[in-house]
Amino acid sequence: QSVLTQPPSVSGAPGQRVTISCTGSSSNIGAGYDVHWYQQLPGTAPKLLIYGNSNRPSGVPDRFSGSKSGTSASLAITGLQAEDEADYYCQSYDSSLSGSSVFGTGTKVTVL
Amino acid sequence: EVQLVESGGGLVKPGGSLRLSCAASGFTFSSYSMNWVRQAPGKGLEWVSSISSSSSYIYYADSVKGRFTISRDNAKNSLYLQMNSLRAEDTAVYYCARDDSEWGYFDYWGQGTLVTVSS
């Protein structure tokens, strides 16, 4: 049972904007720990998409952006494209689970 | 180019053991913490274990504590996961992932190796 909750699915038409929430608690996101986001295309390993709440690694399009507030974080995809159809996971650290990284429950993004 | 290549997966009976390996190249392996992350079929990601660059700090998820042992050999640029007392619920693709120790994110992942626990 993950301590970071995401919506199971979100969808949008090409060109639209979608957002994915990642809801935590006072022992993880709310404690100030950074949130990172990963994209997992079908049949492949996860790929780092956003680190440190809002930073994009080299090569990640600026259509992807991240934010954090209180006990939650969000990933936004603007100008949705067909190749964005994938699973997305948030990740943080939880102080109640010694040494533990924790992942969100995951969100499937469908491009209509 | 950073590469992480897992091996050692396969079919094992409940209660059995398996040792996974992850061969690293393209970076100074001894400078980075490393992790194992697993994904059960059709399910989400689950962090399994982490080990610091010099093996001084080791952590496990509660679900595997006491059954799995993470280790590394910096001379061989290799990461390992010894899995004992395997259960059906350990069936998953196991990924090794490099840890950016400052920020805590996983910047490089291997392709994964499938472990199936079944009689």
Side-chain angles (χ1 to χ4, degrees):
Chain A
Q1 195 81 3
S2 176
V3 297
L4 301 179
T5 303
Q6 300 177 230
S9 63
V10 299
S11 61
Q16 283 191 330
R17 179 179 188 268
V18 297
T19 62
I20 301 170
S21 60
C22 174
T23 303
S25 66
S26 58
S27 62
N28 42 67
I29 299 174
Y33 296 113
D34 289 321
V35 179
H36 320 295
W37 291 90
Y38 302 86
Q39 177 193 59
Q40 186 176 32
L41 297 169
T44 69
K47 168 193 166 186
L48 180 66
L49 200 62
I50 296 287
Y51 69 93
N53 307 313
S54 59
N55 302 285
R56 282 187 309 276
S58 173
V60 173
D62 58 7
R63 303 185 291 104
F64 295 93
S65 62
S67 63
K68 176 187 146 182
S69 178
T71 58
S72 295
S74 290
L75 173 71
I77 310 173
T78 56
L80 195 63
Q81 298 183 5
E83 61 258 37
D84 299 333
E85 188 158 293
D87 294 322
Y88 294 81
Y89 295 91
C90 59
Q91 178 232 334
S92 187
Y93 175 87
D94 194 292
S95 60
S96 69
L97 307 167
S98 59
S100 283
S101 288
V102 288
F103 286 96
T105 49
T107 298
K108 168 70 175 178
V109 170
T110 301
V111 181
L112 302 172
Chain B
E1 179 194 5
V2 172
Q3 281 201 315
L4 298 170
V5 180
E6 301 94 338
S7 60
L11 175 63
V12 61
K13 290 182 168 51
S17 298
L18 213 54
R19 189 195 195 206
L20 305 183
S21 298
C22 172
S25 61
F27 66 102
T28 305
F29 181 71
S30 59
S31 296
Y32 288 86
S33 295
M34 297 295 295
N35 295 261
W36 288 99
V37 176
R38 69 184 180 183
Q39 186 170 35
K43 302 296 185 182
L45 301 173
E46 180 187 15
W47 173 82
V48 172
S49 182
S50 68
I51 185 168
S52 63
S53 57
S54 60
S55 304
S56 297
Y57 300 97
I58 288 175
Y59 303 101
Y60 298 98
D62 286 345
S63 57
V64 306
K65 202 171 294 183
R67 300 187 299 122
F68 290 11
T69 302
I70 191 172
S71 62
R72 64 190 296 162
D73 185 335
N74 287 342
K76 295 183 177 179
N77 291 339
S78 293
L79 174 72
Y80 306 102
L81 186 68
Q82 177 67 44
M83 303 186 296
N84 298 332
S85 303
L86 283 162
R87 306 166 180 167
E89 54 264 37
D90 295 318
T91 294
V93 173
Y94 285 74
Y95 298 100
C96 67
R98 193 179 83 167
D99 189 325
D100 177 283
S101 306
E102 180 179 355
W103 292 78
Y105 58 80
F106 304 152
D107 55 358
Y108 288 94
W109 299 63
Q111 85 289 348
T113 187
L114 176 62
V115 173
T116 303
V117 184
S118 175
S119 55

